[in-house]
């Protein structure tokens, strides 16, 4: 049996025992008097202690509630003690007496307590609750004044003080009952039980009070019927005590956002006002005894006006709240799409007027669905909240972050374009750290697209900018290499639907891109291999793998024909994976035939930000039982490294297993000298354009020689690319260059041709052209 049940059962037993006692005592007047007085004091003491306990074990506002009820009950206890003293010990009539002051503390304490009772939703002021009580009480007073009390007042021969006192009871009780009923209408599910008991107890006490006053005025309190009133008090006290005991275990209430006030709470206080108006209208204010009516009307009108004021204020606040919530995503608290669009169009208006750049970032979490499917939706929700916090941590105050779809976010950035890029990069980096959800460590990458309306471009619309950011994001998603993709007009041509908007030049691109995708999906690209030779001894040292596309209509296409598409439309990762697989496949086959062929593979710079890349490469090597030093990674051309730290991390993990790293096209203008110091590099490949002029141009020669020395100083191997003749070969050898590659030695060869070459090289008579 639960604690609550015990409490209720005990209370019921006490009530039964007490009623039985009453019956046994019968009509024995002094005994009845002793017993009722003793019971009053005892019950009041019990209720006071219970309320005190409730005050001690609760916190915050609830503590205040129980404290004021405890004080009220304490007052009642003192009152009943004095009453007993007057009635049993002295000859002083107990009514009216100072005991009444004690009793009257109760309705005040109860009223304050009920008004303070936490209702758990903002927007409904307590002041209004008290005003409602006041309105109802004033109206009820008017009704009772006109109908009953005035006559009693006129006829009464007791003192005005006694009368005023006896009037104070019903007035206080009316206020308390109204406040209790209204508090009840505002109660929330978790607290309804306690509040119901409390209300019930307070109402029973108030009714007993009113009955007492009425019976006293009628002179019948001393009769049998008076005992019912006494029992009423005791029941009221007991019920309040039960409420106090229940309050100790009551769960804390969480504030809910909005709750529409119940209809009852809205019109209830006006009912007595309407009745009072009906009752008072026929009366003549000039008659005697009407002064209280005038006064109460004044109170009533003031209270109604005040109530009106509070209701209007509350409505305004509710409206604000609702308007605010209509523009917020309830899960993350970020702006929703509506608010984002509003801010964006405002920003675009400023953009047109002031030429202030506007950028939109579109961010989508990769593989979010996996989290939802495997860990459940609450985990997914949690993840979204954490992701939202991360995004907020990367932007300035004043930037707008919105959740615009399930796992899609948008950021509006006004101001310098460079800043927007910075935010994008920061955002990307912020997702390097794992999310911890339900004890799982989750690494979730976002795909980020950036679209910028620069200062000199006033034609782009808000919708277009948003769409551009989305397109860039899709491109980032397809590439799966991480990094931020910036919108490029070419991207609008990738969307198969909407071909209507694509011009003629675009149509062929769309077609080519479709074919390319298909080819990559079906691993239809091929590789050729260009051999590299040691300059000192002419030994074959390895090959560079170069990709080709055997196109069904256009023949064998070189990289210049399709790599731009690959780069633009996010196919870099698939292409790199395909090339690595294919090259290692060949190396493994050659190895099985007894020939060791180290291979170099070209990588796009953004691929090297992909922290998963080393894992994939090393797995491919392991699967074929190849030693990692058979592979060299060439970091190709546009080495505009977004994130040097991350690139270093990727290269380190590859080199840690023995894979070599080469910097490609060195001297072409893309590869900065600084990277030689910043990145872990084994090999420098001097760009073809750099090598070609050395025979005729002394300055070019001097630079090549210096770079060779520098690379050696740093412990790196130097490879010369595009060596086309003997003179160049000789010069490079003199400069100490280690390895050469170029048409002079061999063009790129198909796999079978390479095998032939290698067989010839290892056969007894040396290949004369290469030993020169
Ligand atoms: P690269 O890495 O500089 O590759 C060398 C390029 O120079 C190759 O062109 C090769 O055919 C060409 N070449 C070799 N020797 C000579 C020579 O003596 N004279 C001249 N004029 N050219 C020579 P290719 O195959 O057209 O490749 C062009 C570029 O495409 C490559 O430049 C590389 O940056 C990129 N690429 C090729 N394959 C791949 C790949 O699998 N992945 C990536 N990411 N890029 C690749
Ligand atoms: Ca290369
Ligand atoms: Ca190169």
């Amino acid at each position: 049996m639960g604690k609550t049940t015990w409490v209720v059962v005990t209370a019921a037993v006490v009530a039964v025992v007490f009623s039985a006692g009453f019956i046994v005592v019968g009509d024995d007047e002094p005994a009845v008097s002793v017993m009722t007085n003793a019971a009053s004091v005892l019950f009041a003491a019990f209720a006071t202690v219970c309320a005190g306990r409730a005050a001690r074990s609760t916190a915050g506002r609830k503590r205040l509630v129980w404290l004021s009820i405890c004080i009220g009950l304490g007052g009642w206890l003192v009152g009943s003690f004095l009453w007993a003293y007057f009635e049993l010990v002295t000859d002083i009539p107990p009514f009216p007496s100072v005991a009444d002051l004690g009793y009257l503390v109760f309705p005040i304490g109860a009223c304050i307590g009920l008004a303070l009772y936490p209702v758990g939703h903002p927007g409904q002021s307590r002041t209004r609750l008290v005003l409602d009580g006041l309105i109802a009480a004033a109206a009820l007073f008017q009704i009772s004044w006109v109908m009953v009390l005035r006559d009693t007042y006129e006829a009464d021969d007791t003192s005005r003080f006694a009368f005023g006192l006896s009037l104070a009871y019903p007035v206080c009780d009316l206020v308390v009952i109204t406040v209790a009923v209204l508090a009840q209408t505002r109660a929330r599910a978790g607290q309804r039980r306690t509040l119901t008991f409390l209300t019930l107890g307070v109402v029973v006490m108030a009714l007993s009070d009113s009955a007492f006053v009425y019976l006293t005025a009628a002179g019948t309190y001393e009769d049998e019927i008076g005992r019912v009133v006494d029992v009423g008090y005791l029941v009221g006290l007991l019920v309040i005590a039960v409420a106090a005991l229940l309050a100790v275990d009551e769960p804390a209430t969480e504030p809910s956002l909005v709750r529409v006030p119940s209809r009852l709470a809205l019109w209830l206080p006006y009912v007595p006002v309407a009745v009072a108006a009906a009752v008072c209208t026929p009366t003549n204010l000039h008659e005697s005894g009407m002064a209280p009516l005038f006064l109460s009307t004044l109170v009533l009108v003031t209270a109604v006006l005040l109530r009106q004021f509070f209701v209007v204020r509350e409505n305004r606040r509710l409206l604000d709240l609702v308007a605010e919530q209509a523009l917020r995503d309830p899960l993350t608290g970020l702006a929703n799409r509506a608010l984002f669009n509003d801010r964006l169009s405002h920003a675009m208006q400023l953009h047109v007027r002031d030429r202030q750049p506007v950028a939109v970032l579109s961010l989508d979490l990769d593989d979010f669905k996996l989290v939802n499917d495997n860990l459940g939706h609450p985990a997914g929700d949690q993840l979204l909240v954490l992701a939202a916090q991360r995004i907020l941590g990367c932007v300035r105050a004043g930037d707008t972050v919105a959740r615009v779809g399930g796992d899609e976010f948008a950021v509006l950035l006004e101001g310098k374009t460079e800043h927007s890029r910075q935010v994008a990069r920061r955002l990307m980096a912020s997702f390097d750290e794992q999310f911890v959800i339900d004890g799982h460590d989750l690494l979730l990458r976002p795909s980020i697209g950036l679209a910028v309306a620069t200062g000199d471009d006033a034609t782009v619309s808000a919708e277009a900018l948003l769409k551009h950011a989305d397109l860039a994001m899709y491109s980032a998603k397809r590439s799966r290499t991480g990094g931020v993709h910036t919108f490029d007009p070419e991207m609008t041509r990738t969307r198969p639907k909407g071909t209507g908007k694509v011009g003629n030049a675009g149509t062929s691109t769309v077609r080519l891109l479709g074919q390319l995708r298909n080819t990559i999906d079906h691993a239809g690209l091929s590789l050729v291999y260009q051999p590299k030779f040691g300059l000192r001894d002419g030994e074959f040292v390895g090959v560079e793998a170069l990709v080709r596309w055997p196109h069904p209509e256009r023949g064998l296409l070189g990289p210049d024909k399709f790599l731009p598409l690959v780069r633009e439309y996010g196919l870099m990762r698939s292409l790199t994976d395909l090339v690595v697989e294919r090259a290692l496949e060949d190396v493994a086959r050659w190895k099985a035939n007894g020939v060791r062929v180290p291979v170099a593979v070209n990588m796009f710079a953004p691929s090297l930000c992909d922290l998963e890349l080393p894992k994939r490469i090393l797995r491919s090597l392991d699967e074929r039982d190849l030693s990692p030093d058979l592979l060299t990674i060439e970091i190709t051309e546009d080495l505009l490294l977004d994130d040097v730290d991350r690139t270093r991390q990727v290269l380190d993990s590859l080199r840690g297993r023995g894979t070599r790293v080469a910097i490609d096209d060195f001297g072409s203008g893309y590869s900065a000298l600084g990277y030689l110091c910043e990145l872990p590099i084994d090999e420098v490949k001097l760009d073809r354009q750099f090598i070609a002029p050395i025979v005729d141009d002394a300055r070019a020669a001097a630079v090549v020689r210096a770079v060779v020395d520098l690379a050696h100083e740093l412990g790196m191997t130097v490879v010369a690319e595009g060596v086309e003749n003997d003179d160049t070969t000789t010069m490079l050898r003199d400069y100490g260059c280690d390895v050469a590659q170029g048409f002079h030695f061999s063009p790129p060869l198909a796999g079978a041709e390479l095998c032939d070459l290698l067989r010839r090289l290892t056969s007894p008579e040396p290949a004369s052209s290469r030993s020169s």
Side-chain angles (χ1 to χ4, degrees):
M1 239 193 324
K3 198 168 156 192
T4 318
T5 330
W6 275 115
V7 169
V8 175
V9 167
T10 315
V13 168
V14 169
V16 168
V17 168
F18 181 76
S19 313
F22 244 135
I23 293 163
V24 171
V25 167
D27 278 346
D28 183 2
E29 197 39 63
V32 170
S33 190
V34 169
M35 196 162 157
T36 39
N37 277 303
S40 288
V41 173
L42 266 176
F43 276 51
F46 175 63
T48 311
V49 169
C50 289
R53 214 179 130 242
R56 243 196 29 218
S57 64
T58 49
R61 179 156 272 177
K62 267 196 194 152
R63 164 166 286 176
L64 287 181
V65 169
W66 286 105
L67 202 65
S68 41
I69 289 174
C70 179
I71 291 172
L73 286 167
W76 208 92
L77 173 63
V78 172
S80 59
F81 194 80
L82 290 172
W83 179 284
Y85 175 75
F86 292 140
E87 194 171 73
L88 300 176
V89 182
T90 68
D91 281 340
I92 306 169
F95 181 83
S97 72
V98 277
D100 292 298
L101 294 180
Y103 285 132
L104 278 173
V105 174
F106 175 74
I108 297 170
C111 201
I112 296 174
L114 283 168
L116 283 179
Y117 208 90
V119 285
H121 28 82
Q124 287 168 275
S125 73
R126 267 156 237 286
T127 325
R128 207 190 87 196
L129 184 73
V130 174
L131 278 175
D132 285 351
L134 198 64
I135 291 171
L140 290 174
F141 171 79
Q142 291 196 326
I143 300 167
S144 40
W145 182 260
V146 171
M147 300 191 73
V148 192
L149 295 174
R150 184 167 66 109
D151 295 341
T152 329
Y153 175 80
E154 300 272 88
D156 201 11
D157 45 1
T158 54
S159 71
R160 286 285 160 99
F161 168 72
F163 184 78
L165 202 60
S166 59
L167 209 58
Y169 280 101
V171 170
C172 287
D173 293 337
L174 286 175
V175 177
V176 169
I177 290 174
T178 316
V179 169
V181 169
L182 290 173
Q184 183 65 24
T185 61
R186 310 188 330 155
R188 275 164 39 85
Q191 52 179 219
R192 203 154 274 153
R193 209 174 48 178
T194 317
L195 196 56
T196 305
F197 273 97
L198 186 59
T199 313
L200 203 71
V202 168
V203 168
V204 171
M205 293 288 282
L207 289 177
S208 307
D209 262 346
S210 302
F212 167 78
V213 171
Y214 179 77
L215 293 179
T216 309
T220 49
Y221 177 67
E222 302 303 322
D223 301 349
E224 290 281 293
I225 188 97
R227 274 193 222 168
V228 179
V229 175
D230 290 337
V231 174
Y233 281 126
L234 301 181
V235 170
L237 288 169
L238 206 60
V239 174
I240 293 173
V242 170
L245 290 171
L246 290 175
V248 175
D249 303 326
E250 193 184 70
T253 42
E254 286 169 30
S256 71
L257 288 172
V258 199
R259 203 183 80 154
V260 179
S262 71
R263 257 170 236 262
L264 189 70
L266 282 183
W267 58 253
L268 199 62
Y270 289 126
V271 175
V273 177
V275 177
V279 170
C280 296
T281 312
T283 59
N284 185 350
L285 278 180
H286 296 296
E287 280 174 30
S288 68
M290 281 303 173
L293 202 60
F294 176 73
L295 266 177
S296 64
T297 306
L298 214 63
V299 171
L300 197 61
V301 170
T302 316
V304 168
L305 285 178
L306 277 176
R307 180 189 206 253
Q308 204 57 28
F309 169 75
F310 277 104
V311 168
V312 169
R313 214 179 61 166
E314 254 167 47
N315 284 354
R316 267 198 61 136
R317 214 172 30 215
L318 278 175
L319 265 182
D320 284 349
L321 200 68
V322 169
E324 170 75 6
Q325 281 176 15
L327 297 174
R328 293 274 156 201
D329 166 43
L331 179 65
T332 58
L334 296 179
N336 64 12
R337 192 181 277 279
L339 179 57
F340 186 83
N341 286 343
D342 185 60
R343 298 255 172 98
L344 178 59
S345 48
H346 182 250
M348 292 311 279
Q349 280 163 6
L350 287 185
H351 166 72
V352 171
R353 204 186 63 193
D354 301 337
R355 293 294 153 97
Q356 154 124 307
V358 175
V360 172
L361 256 166
S362 173
L363 184 151
D364 187 287
L365 300 176
D366 295 348
D367 307 322
F368 176 73
K369 200 174 156 337
L370 279 180
V371 177
N372 251 352
D373 291 352
N374 293 303
L375 300 179
H377 286 257
D381 284 355
Q382 225 180 318
L383 185 63
L384 288 173
V385 172
L386 292 178
Q389 283 165 359
R390 278 208 193 165
I391 298 172
L392 280 176
C394 295
V395 300
R396 291 172 305 190
D399 295 336
T400 303
V401 180
R403 177 166 168 238
V404 293
D407 60 342
E408 275 180 54
F409 298 86
V411 185
L412 171 64
L413 302 154
E414 290 168 75
K416 288 201 194 91
T417 308
E418 190 35 47
H419 168 73
S420 310
R421 288 191 202 289
Q422 219 174 331
V423 170
R425 278 197 293 269
R426 219 169 26 220
L427 258 177
M428 200 74 208
S430 78
F431 280 81
D432 284 351
E433 202 179 309
Q434 292 179 326
F435 291 96
V436 183
I437 296 203
D438 292 348
H440 301 276
D441 285 342
L442 301 176
L443 190 66
L444 214 74
R445 310 291 315 164
S447 295
I448 301 180
L450 176 68
V452 186
T454 51
D456 28 84
D457 177 14
T459 53
V460 64
S461 68
E463 301 82 61
L465 193 64
L466 193 57
K467 207 171 100 190
H468 292 171
D470 280 344
L471 284 174
M473 185 271 287
Y474 293 137
S475 156
K477 200 166 231 9
R478 277 192 307 269
S479 78
R480 304 197 58 97
T481 50
V484 177
H485 282 217
T486 305
F487 172 75
D488 184 293
E490 275 288 308
M491 288 176 180
T492 46
R493 303 196 176 144
T494 52
R495 310 187 63 190
K497 290 175 192 121
T499 33
K501 287 191 190 139
V502 176
N504 270 340
T507 319
S508 68
T509 314
V510 171
R511 220 170 94 78
L512 197 64
L513 183 69
Q515 292 170 331
L516 179 61
R517 282 228 173 87
N518 206 25
T519 310
I520 293 180
D521 283 350
H522 294 90
L525 295 178
S526 62
L527 292 184
V528 289
Y529 297 97
Q530 186 170 36
K532 296 184 285 186
F533 295 91
L535 274 171
R536 230 154 302 149
D537 49 14
E539 282 286 304
F540 165 79
V541 295
V543 295
E544 175 178 3
L546 296 161
V547 69
R548 297 288 181 268
W549 180 9
H551 193 276
E553 297 140 29
R554 304 205 205 168
L556 195 65
L557 297 183
D560 56 319
K561 297 287 188 300
F562 62 94
L563 285 193
L565 279 180
V566 168
R567 229 173 262 122
E568 193 87 56
Y569 298 107
L571 296 167
M572 291 190 279
R573 176 170 158 172
S574 348
L575 180 113
T576 302
D577 286 353
L578 176 62
V579 170
V580 170
E581 288 284 309
R582 182 63 57 83
L584 293 183
E585 197 76 20
D586 286 339
V587 172
R589 219 185 39 248
W590 294 324
K591 183 187 162 199
N593 292 338
V595 199
R596 185 178 186 273
V597 184
V599 68
V601 171
N602 294 285
M603 294 270 162
F604 301 98
S607 307
L608 293 162
C609 288
D610 179 2
L611 293 172
E612 298 290 305
L613 180 80
K615 221 183 287 169
R616 292 204 303 277
I617 289 185
L618 292 170
R619 197 177 42 227
S620 299
L621 283 160
D622 286 344
E623 276 167 7
R624 295 174 180 83
D625 200 19
L626 294 174
S627 133
D629 64 359
L630 280 173
L631 182 68
T632 300
I633 301 296
E634 292 191 9
I635 312 174
T636 314
E637 33 164 275
D638 51 288
L639 190 66
L640 288 171
L641 292 179
D642 267 344
D643 190 338
V644 176
D645 284 338
R646 199 199 280 239
T647 306
R648 192 184 308 119
Q649 210 177 324
V650 169
L651 295 183
D652 275 338
S653 39
L654 283 167
R655 289 183 77 239
R657 291 282 304 274
T659 297
R660 292 166 59 79
V661 173
I663 191 147
D664 206 354
D665 302 333
F666 192 79
S668 68
Y670 288 110
S671 330
L673 204 55
Y675 290 133
L676 284 189
C677 307
E678 277 182 80
L679 295 174
I681 287 165
D682 302 284
E683 191 176 298
V684 173
K685 295 191 81 176
L686 291 174
D687 190 49
R688 168 164 84 238
Q689 264 113 46
F690 208 29
I691 295 297
I694 60 170
V695 178
D696 309 313
D697 184 346
R699 292 165 69 95
V703 171
V704 167
R705 191 199 212 135
V707 171
V708 171
D709 288 345
L710 172 70
H712 282 163
E713 195 68 40
L714 295 172
M716 300 167 182
T717 308
V718 185
V719 181
E721 288 188 323
V723 181
E724 296 187 341
N725 52 56
D726 226 3
D727 294 346
T728 312
T729 312
T730 314
M731 278 185 85
L732 287 168
R733 190 182 292 125
D734 290 348
Y735 292 166
C737 181
D738 306 285
V739 177
Q741 170 185 354
F743 293 163
H744 176 60
F745 297 91
S746 165
L749 304 169
E753 294 171 320
L754 181 73
C755 280
D756 291 343
L757 174 74
L758 293 179
R759 213 171 294 127
R760 259 185 287 128
L761 285 177
T762 45
S763 66
E765 71 265 34
S768 56
S769 72
R770 262 160 292 278
S771 57
S772 57

